[in-house]
Structure formats: structure tokens, C-alpha cells
């Protein structure tokens, strides 16, 4: 059984973050810009941790929520995901992707 990391989502992290914040926290689309900070979107630390946990689960990576801060932008958040995907070799393994989905 192949357990090499593979990004099975095919979804851009910035797009995912934007849609997630619109759906779960009712952030208006015109405010969910790449340069928007968590602070400018009125997202508290609990919302930030929830987002990081969701990103970790969605992409099958270990995303350290200690990086979350009021001044982190949506683009920087997506870059953290990209960086971790690169370190992890792509994200979810083929076996965990089917087990989780």
C-alpha cells in the first residue's frame, strides 16, 4: 500500500480559506481579500485556531496554529499551507485521503 504524501484535494489554499471564511464566519466576499488580516475581518483567536485545524484536516498536514495572529493575512495563511505541503511532500497520503473522505 502506497503511503507517499499526495495532495488529493487539488484545491488552492487561498480559495479554500476564502470560501471557508465566507461560509463559516459570514465574511462578505468583498472583504475576504488576500491582503485582509484576521483582525480586519474581526476573527478572534478561537476562529483562527478553528481555521488552522480545518486547514490541517482538509490538506492532511500538521499546521501549527501558533502561527495564527491578528495581523496574519489570508495570503500568508495560504502560503503557510503551501509551505507545509512542500515539507510534507504534498499533503494527505492516498490511504488517509480515502479513510477521511
Amino acid at each position: 500500500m502506497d503511503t507517499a504524501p499526495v495532495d488529493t484535494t487539488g484545491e488552492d489554499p487561498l480559495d479554500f480559506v476564502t470560501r471557508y471564511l465566507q461560509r463559516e464566519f459570514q465574511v462578505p466576499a468583498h472583504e475576504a481579500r488576500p491582503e485582509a488580516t484576521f483582525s480586519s475581518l474581526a476573527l478572534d483567536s478561537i476562529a483562527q485556531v478553528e481555521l488552522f485545524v480545518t486547514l490541517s484536516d482538509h490538506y492532511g498536514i500538521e499546521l501549527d496554529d501558533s502561527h495564527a495572529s491578528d495581523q496574519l493575512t489570508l495570503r500568508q495563511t495560504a502560503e503557510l499551507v503551501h509551505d507545509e505541503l512542500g515539507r510534507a511532500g504534498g499533503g494527505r497520503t492516498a490511504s488517509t485521503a480515502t479513510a477521511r473522505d
Side-chain angles (χ1 to χ4, degrees):
M1 176 175 251
D2 182 21
T3 58
V6 176
D7 179 10
T8 59
T9 66
E11 187 167 21
D12 178 65
L14 184 57
D15 291 339
F16 179 84
V17 167
T18 301
R19 281 195 306 283
Y20 179 81
L21 294 177
Q22 290 171 359
R23 183 181 68 245
E24 297 299 321
F25 296 100
Q26 293 72 49
V27 172
H30 69 277
E31 291 181 18
R33 303 172 320 277
E35 67 276 5
T37 64
F38 291 136
S39 177
S40 72
L41 298 174
L43 296 173
D44 63 15
S45 60
I46 295 172
Q48 294 169 30
V49 169
E50 184 178 329
L51 172 62
F52 272 59
V53 169
T54 298
L55 286 167
S56 293
D57 289 347
H58 183 76
Y59 287 97
I61 57 176
E62 294 295 324
L63 195 59
D64 185 357
D65 60 31
S66 71
H67 292 294
S69 77
D70 288 342
Q71 297 310 308
L72 193 67
T73 67
L74 301 189
R75 182 183 320 278
Q76 290 169 327
T77 303
E79 289 170 357
L80 288 171
V81 173
H82 279 292
D83 291 349
E84 191 57 40
L85 283 169
R87 268 192 290 284
R92 291 193 259 190
T93 63
S95 60
T96 59
T98 48
R100 287 184 179 173
D101 296 334

